[in-house]
Amino acid sequence: MRMRVAGTAVLGALALSVLAVPAAHAADAHRGDTKISNVVVNGGKPVVVSASGTKTITVSFTATDDSGIAWAQAILYHGKDIEHSDSGAVANTSDKRSVCTEVSATKADCKATYTLSAGKNLINEVAGSWKVWAIAQGNDTNYVKKENAKTFQAQRLAKLTADASPEPVKKGKTLTVTGALTRANWNGGTYSGYTGQSVKLQFRKSGSNTYTTLKTVKTDSRGRLKTTVKATADGYYRYSFAGTSTTSAVSAAGDFVDVK
């Protein structure tokens, strides 16, 4: 893919930064008692990016060593391993090591920020599961390197609409509810219909705070939705999509229907 060159440049810079510690080649490695734990990406939430947007996130982890932590670093990537990352590798925004704050003589909390950008390090083909490559070194030069310290989801932003008609409608008559499910096309900077997806049609009776699922509808070849229901009471109709590994969950705004 077109991102491969960027990944090579990042890995070259990393190899210089880690000095005597084994550089950014595949497989875990360690020497001594150094450990990495509690890796958290974006507060534990998927990283959702719009068609032409960017998303800056924080990656944090805990590093421990009986001599204390000298430094640590993490890189985000997509692919089999970091040497074969198929969208390049994303270094933190300052292109330096993580900032580590000493918690005790043997423990440090480390974190850094990273920016994922549609059309740059994000293309449609790499939506889904990403990994965190992480390394930490103790003051005694012991170290640990993890090829996959944590996985997280990089998702294309989804949009969803719903329109119920006719409005108003007589009780017991048929309502037609249309809508469309689209998602970010990172390659083109636009939104495209998400085909063949199961979407729930839901209803919230006027005065209630809870939506109830009426049926499940599949999107057509252009991401469009259409179904019918019987009008029973005043309330709101919406479509709701649970999301996939590559695409964010989304619910349409409820469309109010007055039942006479």
Side-chain angles (χ1 to χ4, degrees):
M1 295 183 184
R2 62 185 180 185
M3 301 297 182
R4 185 67 178 124
V5 173
T8 302
V10 171
L11 296 183
L14 177 65
L16 293 176
S17 74
V18 299
L19 300 176
V21 177
H25 50 75
D28 293 353
H30 75 279
R31 179 174 65 221
D33 64 339
T34 316
K35 294 180 181 179
I36 290 172
S37 61
N38 303 323
V39 182
V40 178
V41 180
N42 194 38
K45 300 177 181 179
V47 180
V48 180
V49 182
S50 62
S52 58
T54 63
K55 179 77 171 182
T56 298
I57 63 170
T58 298
V59 176
S60 61
F61 57 92
T62 299
T64 58
D65 185 276
D66 64 0
S67 69
I69 295 299
W71 60 269
Q73 190 169 14
I75 290 179
L76 316 181
Y77 73 97
H78 177 278
K80 177 183 176 182
D81 54 55
I82 198 165
E83 280 193 327
H84 302 92
S85 55
D86 54 14
S87 72
V90 183
N92 63 52
T93 51
S94 63
D95 200 22
K96 296 179 181 178
R97 297 169 180 169
S98 301
V99 176
C100 293
T101 302
E102 184 178 290
V103 176
S104 69
T106 60
K107 177 180 177 181
D109 287 338
C110 304
K111 65 179 180 179
T113 57
Y114 302 77
T115 299
L116 298 177
S117 303
K120 294 182 181 178
N121 43 42
L122 289 181
I123 54 177
N124 295 342
E125 293 81 356
V126 303
S129 183
W130 279 56
K131 301 170 184 175
V132 179
W133 182 98
I135 190 168
Q137 180 173 292
N139 289 318
D140 56 5
T141 73
N142 286 341
Y143 70 90
V144 62
K145 176 173 70 70
K146 290 191 173 185
E147 181 73 20
N148 183 9
K150 187 75 174 180
T151 59
F152 67 96
Q153 300 301 119
Q155 295 180 328
R156 298 159 68 175
L157 176 68
K159 294 184 177 183
L160 186 57
T161 61
D163 180 37
S165 63
E167 302 174 51
V169 65
K170 289 185 178 180
K171 187 174 182 178
K173 293 297 183 180
T174 298
L175 275 171
T176 299
V177 187
T178 58
L181 175 64
T182 59
R183 60 175 176 167
N185 179 350
W186 290 335
N187 295 355
T190 59
Y191 285 83
S192 304
Y194 198 5
T195 66
Q197 298 303 305
S198 295
V199 180
K200 293 178 179 178
L201 175 65
Q202 298 181 326
F203 175 71
R204 176 170 66 87
K205 190 175 181 179
S206 185
S208 170
N209 295 320
T210 304
Y211 275 95
T212 300
T213 297
L214 303 178
K215 62 173 69 176
T216 299
V217 186
K218 275 202 170 183
T219 58
D220 68 11
S221 60
R222 296 174 61 182
R224 297 173 300 189
L225 294 155
K226 185 176 182 179
T227 192
T228 58
V229 292
K230 296 294 184 182
T232 57
D234 291 355
Y236 299 84
Y237 291 86
R238 74 175 187 183
Y239 283 113
S240 183
F241 176 59
T244 63
S245 61
T246 63
T247 306
S248 67
V250 62
S251 293
D255 185 28
F256 180 76
V257 174
D258 181 16
V259 177
K260 300 295 188 181

